[in-house]
């Protein structure tokens, strides 16, 4: 299966900030494209963002980080977070899931 984002983004309007494009088991994948301000609230599932386009600042539990296209961002369930100062072209993949155990962050290359 392959999903190409641009046709989905072309169909979004300002009142529709996201579109769910895939669901299987506990995994849900969305395309998210806020306009102006990101008003999202903490979620009941862990989530991963993979930045598709744009730049800005990501506030993850009060810690701010710059982001760019291609970045991977993890947010644990229940943590307050939002995108701030993002460019007009900003959009991201969002992957929601339910998982057991703690995440392992491996930044070493093989």
């Amino acid at each position: 299966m392959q999903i190409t984002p641009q046709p989905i983004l072309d169909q979004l309007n300002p009142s529709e900030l996201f579109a769910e494009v895939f669901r299987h088991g506990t995994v849900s994948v969305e395309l998210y494209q806020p306009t102006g301000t990101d008003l999202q609230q903490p979620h009941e599932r862990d989530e991963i963002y993979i930045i598709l386009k744009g730049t800005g600042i990501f506030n993850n539990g009060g810690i701010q980080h710059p982001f760019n296209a291609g970045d991977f961002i993890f947010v644990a369930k229940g943590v307050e977070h939002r995108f701030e100062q993002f460019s007009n072209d900003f959009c991201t993949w969002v992957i929601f899931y339910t998982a057991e155990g703690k995440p392992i962050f491996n930044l070493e290359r093989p």
Side-chain angles (χ1 to χ4, degrees):
M1 170 182 233
Q2 179 177 344
I3 299 172
T4 302
Q6 197 58 53
I8 298 161
L9 292 169
D10 289 343
Q11 293 178 16
L12 290 179
N13 62 53
S15 66
E16 295 177 310
L17 303 179
F18 67 91
E20 184 179 55
V21 297
F22 178 81
R23 181 180 291 260
H24 181 73
T26 68
V27 174
S28 171
V29 178
E30 298 177 356
L31 276 169
Y32 180 54
Q33 187 173 39
T35 55
T37 303
D38 179 10
L39 300 174
Q40 64 180 314
Q41 298 296 313
H43 305 288
E44 295 182 8
R45 296 184 286 169
D46 291 331
E47 62 186 307
I48 293 168
Y49 293 100
I50 300 174
I51 308 303
L52 187 59
K53 294 191 286 189
T55 61
I57 303 295
F58 187 71
N59 187 329
N60 191 351
I63 300 171
Q64 296 182 322
H65 301 277
F67 68 83
N68 295 289
D71 286 353
F72 173 103
I73 300 170
F74 170 78
V75 180
K77 69 179 181 179
V79 173
E80 189 166 327
H81 62 282
R82 64 186 31 83
F83 292 94
E84 301 171 345
Q85 302 173 29
F86 50 86
S87 58
N88 291 335
D89 64 340
F90 168 64
C91 64
T92 185
W93 291 106
V94 185
I95 304 166
F96 290 102
Y97 64 98
T98 303
E100 295 181 18
K102 291 185 175 187
I104 297 171
F105 301 100
N106 184 359
L107 301 178
E108 295 179 24
R109 293 182 180 192

